[in-house]
Amino acid sequence: MDTSYFQPSGFGRFHLDAGTANVAAPTELNAVATPSEGAAAASAPWSPSNPLFWFGALAALTLGLAAVSTSVRVGPARASVSLGK
Amino acid sequence: MTTTTAPAAPQRTMQGLAIAAESVNPKAFFALTRRKTLQEKTFTYNGQSQDVVELRKSDILAGIDIEFVGNLVTAKGAGTVGTTGRWPYDLIKAVKVSANGQSNLINVSGAKLKVRDLMKNSDLSDRGITQTVNGVNVSAGTLAGSSESWGVGSQTANIADGNYNVDLQWHVPISEDETDLVGAIFLATSTSDITVTLEYSSQADLFSLGAPATATLTGTFKVSTTKFSVPVGPNGQIVVPDLSTFHSLIQSRYTALQTGENEIRLVGQGANKSLLRMYYQLWNGATPAPVPMTRTAFGPQSWRFGNNETPEVYNDGSYLRKHMERSYNSDIGAVFGFGCHDFAEENVFRDVVDMGTTSELRLVTTLQNGFVLTNPALEYVTEVVFLAGTAA
């Protein structure tokens, strides 16, 4: 039976991380409970919460459309766009 | 001509000592090590106030045993001889252990060591071992071992003249657990240093004498250790287990007690510390004696952190005493009045209190309104495992 989920071995059972033992001047800041980073936190550029993501998406859409010749037909009207010709 | 310098081998700092990183190999260590039980020092006791023992610098230290064998000679003359609640185990008023610059890893009295032994090893039991306490034969909750001899009872008055054999033993847990050696101390270098100081209770603390009575205790202390050899691994390097942690037992005293609820903020809180148990004992009376853990004296018993987070509340002293007896198979609240909030006995991973996330950790003890306080003092012990950084 796997008991590791309620009874891990080593220092894990004391909720201690031996990897932090070499810090010369340990700070309590990294161990006390901290609030979540919140909406203001900078996130990765590929995250939807980052404005750069949407800028990139819009740019890709615009330039993508521009990169190909496109024609749209709405009712009797017909619009045609062509680049490089 | 160019010269090259060999890069230094990666090192890890453990308990204030630098050790080659590749030497940390718990699997190889436990396969190859050898347990050793060694006598470190023997010295006589004639009523002095303290002795200092420097342990031999060898191996990995897991535990220390202290044995006292001696005689108590009482002569009351026209007076009286009695013992206090400090007799017999608080003959050692404090055992203090310092290691590799980490001062006071252990700083507790003898009775606190005895009860910790029963709490940690719940297969130990003091049931059926009869001792005299307060003039009554008691066969549970005395903390005594069958192989020990108190000589005379605790809190016993009118002791007859005699020469009584005294044979006592205490175990000092350097490592939290001698199976996996969490908290064991690396002693096998000349730069390591461990000092054990034994402070003794005064005669007035142990005996109540009506002049011209005398009580003379003499004997021999023997300090032994349990150590584990440091083996050599397959690549020729020594191998050691991960010794990144220290184990500590610290006793504190609080006297500003009143009836009703008392909140005692624990000393020594900090990040990277895990609280395994906190246990306590109330001393009260003109000649202070431990107050048994019953509902007559104690109301709800709990612990608290933050503003008012109170995870566990035991209804009263008797309830806590029953709970402890179920946990330890010893009625430790009956005679010497111990109470304990234990986070390690059942499932340490689930219950342990991370001091980094429980700020303002407090022991909460309620004393019943009708309870008369006379020179009260709460002696409490915190047992902690913590990561040892480079000595600051």
Side-chain angles (χ1 to χ4, degrees), chain B residues 236-260:
Chain B
Q237 289 272 5
I238 62 164
V239 287
V240 294
D242 195 337
L243 300 173
S244 300
T245 57
F246 276 128
H247 172 233
S248 86
L249 276 176
I250 302 295
Q251 178 177 329
S252 303
R253 186 178 165 90
Y254 182 86
T255 55
L257 292 157
Q258 56 195 0
T259 54

Side-chain angles (χ1 to χ4, degrees), chain A:
Chain A
M1 188 178 101
D2 177 21
T3 60
S4 60
Y5 65 94
F6 69 85
Q7 215 167 39
S9 60
F11 302 139
R13 75 181 196 272
F14 299 116
H15 296 225
L16 295 176
D17 177 12
T20 62
N22 292 331
V23 179
T27 170
E28 294 192 1
L29 288 178
N30 53 11
V32 297
T34 52
S36 64
E37 290 178 339
S43 50
W46 50 85
S47 164
S49 62
N50 193 318
L52 278 175
F53 172 84
W54 294 108
F55 176 78
L58 197 59
L61 194 66
T62 308
L63 297 176
L65 285 174
V68 296
S69 175
T70 306
S71 74
V72 177
R73 181 172 179 170
V74 181
R78 180 188 172 97
S80 177
V81 178
S82 180
L83 285 178
K85 291 180 183 173

Side-chain angles (χ1 to χ4, degrees), chain B residues 158-189:
Chain B
N158 299 319
I159 294 171
D161 287 356
N163 185 339
Y164 302 95
N165 293 327
V166 180
D167 193 339
L168 307 169
Q169 192 191 36
W170 300 263
H171 177 71
V172 184
I174 299 297
S175 62
E176 190 273 332
D177 187 306
E178 289 191 15
T179 309
D180 60 12
L181 300 182
V182 168
I185 291 175
F186 186 72
L187 271 186
T189 75

Side-chain angles (χ1 to χ4, degrees), chain B residues 128-148:
Chain B
I129 299 161
T130 304
Q131 300 286 1
T132 308
V133 179
N134 226 338
V136 179
N137 283 347
V138 180
S139 54
T142 60
L143 315 181
S146 179
S147 51
E148 292 181 303

Side-chain angles (χ1 to χ4, degrees), chain B residues 222-363:
Chain B
K222 289 180 182 171
V223 176
S224 303
T225 52
T226 302
K227 291 178 173 175
F228 291 85
S229 67
V230 180
V232 175
N235 61 355
Q237 289 272 5
I238 62 164
V239 287
V240 294
D242 195 337
L243 300 173
S244 300
T245 57
F246 276 128
H247 172 233
S248 86
L249 276 176
I250 302 295
Q251 178 177 329
S252 303
R253 186 178 165 90
Y254 182 86
T255 55
L257 292 157
Q258 56 195 0
T259 54
E261 192 173 270
N262 297 278
E263 285 193 38
I264 299 124
R265 189 184 183 280
L266 302 185
V267 299
Q269 299 181 43
N272 287 334
K273 289 184 170 185
S274 292
L275 180 66
L276 304 184
R277 49 179 71 88
M278 53 179 161
Y279 54 100
Y280 53 100
Q281 194 183 28
L282 175 65
W283 291 78
N284 191 54
T287 301
V291 180
M293 185 57 68
T294 64
R295 65 174 62 91
T296 310
F298 293 95
Q301 305 295 301
S302 58
W303 61 280
R304 187 171 289 165
F305 66 95
N307 273 334
N308 201 22
E309 287 288 321
T310 312
E312 289 182 301
V313 183
Y314 296 93
N315 301 339
D316 54 39
S318 297
Y319 186 94
L320 177 60
R321 180 178 152 192
K322 289 170 189 159
H323 175 80
M324 294 187 298
E325 187 174 4
R326 283 183 59 226
S327 297
Y328 309 134
N329 190 27
S330 290
D331 192 4
I332 62 170
V335 176
F336 289 103
F338 282 101
C340 180
H341 295 286
D342 200 319
F343 311 110
E345 191 270 337
E346 206 169 53
N347 182 339
V348 66
F349 176 64
R350 187 192 61 196
D351 300 335
V352 72
V353 177
D354 180 352
M355 283 184 161
T357 55
T358 51
S359 60
E360 293 294 316
L361 198 54
R362 281 104 79 194
L363 170 63

Side-chain angles (χ1 to χ4, degrees), chain B residues 13-274:
Chain B
T13 305
M14 283 193 184
Q15 301 175 342
L17 298 173
I19 293 175
E22 64 181 294
S23 290
V24 182
N25 187 344
K27 198 171 179 182
F29 171 82
F30 284 104
L32 297 169
T33 190
R34 170 68 56 205
R35 188 183 64 197
K36 300 176 177 179
T37 301
L38 307 162
Q39 190 168 309
E40 296 275 343
K41 192 171 181 180
T42 302
F43 46 92
T44 56
Y45 172 78
N46 292 308
Q48 69 265 37
S49 61
Q50 73 167 41
D51 282 296
V52 179
V53 181
E54 188 179 352
L55 301 184
R56 292 182 191 135
K57 295 179 175 69
S58 68
D59 306 312
I60 289 170
L61 178 67
I64 303 172
D65 286 314
I66 302 167
E67 185 187 46
F68 176 79
V69 180
N71 292 80
L72 174 67
V73 179
T74 62
K76 62 184 178 181
T80 55
V81 176
T83 54
T84 70
R86 297 285 178 193
W87 180 265
Y89 292 117
D90 276 346
L91 163 62
I92 299 181
K93 189 177 184 179
V95 176
K96 297 180 177 177
V97 178
S98 301
N100 297 343
Q102 191 76 43
S103 59
N104 280 5
L105 277 178
I106 309 276
N107 187 351
V108 289
S109 78
K112 299 341 181 253
L113 287 175
K114 290 298 285 190
V115 76
R116 193 270 174 192
D117 217 15
L118 286 166
M119 292 190 293
K120 170 65 184 174
N121 306 300
S122 54
D123 49 349
L124 264 180
S125 176
D126 55 12
R127 289 181 191 280
I129 299 161
T130 304
Q131 300 286 1
T132 308
V133 179
N134 226 338
V136 179
N137 283 347
V138 180
S139 54
T142 60
L143 315 181
S146 179
S147 51
E148 292 181 303
S149 171
W150 285 12
V152 295
S154 182
Q155 301 174 60
T156 298
N158 299 319
I159 294 171
D161 287 356
N163 185 339
Y164 302 95
N165 293 327
V166 180
D167 193 339
L168 307 169
Q169 192 191 36
W170 300 263
H171 177 71
V172 184
I174 299 297
S175 62
E176 190 273 332
D177 187 306
E178 289 191 15
T179 309
D180 60 12
L181 300 182
V182 168
I185 291 175
F186 186 72
L187 271 186
T189 75
S190 58
T191 54
S192 60
D193 175 57
I194 185 161
T195 305
V196 182
T197 304
L198 303 183
E199 290 182 6
Y200 309 115
S201 288
S202 66
Q203 191 180 55
D205 287 339
L206 297 170
F207 305 105
S208 50
L209 301 174
T214 58
T216 309
L217 180 67
T218 55
T220 304
F221 271 100
K222 289 180 182 171
V223 176
S224 303
T225 52
T226 302
K227 291 178 173 175
F228 291 85
S229 67
V230 180
V232 175
N235 61 355
Q237 289 272 5
I238 62 164
V239 287
V240 294
D242 195 337
L243 300 173
S244 300
T245 57
F246 276 128
H247 172 233
S248 86
L249 276 176
I250 302 295
Q251 178 177 329
S252 303
R253 186 178 165 90
Y254 182 86
T255 55
L257 292 157
Q258 56 195 0
T259 54
E261 192 173 270
N262 297 278
E263 285 193 38
I264 299 124
R265 189 184 183 280
L266 302 185
V267 299
Q269 299 181 43
N272 287 334
K273 289 184 170 185
S274 292

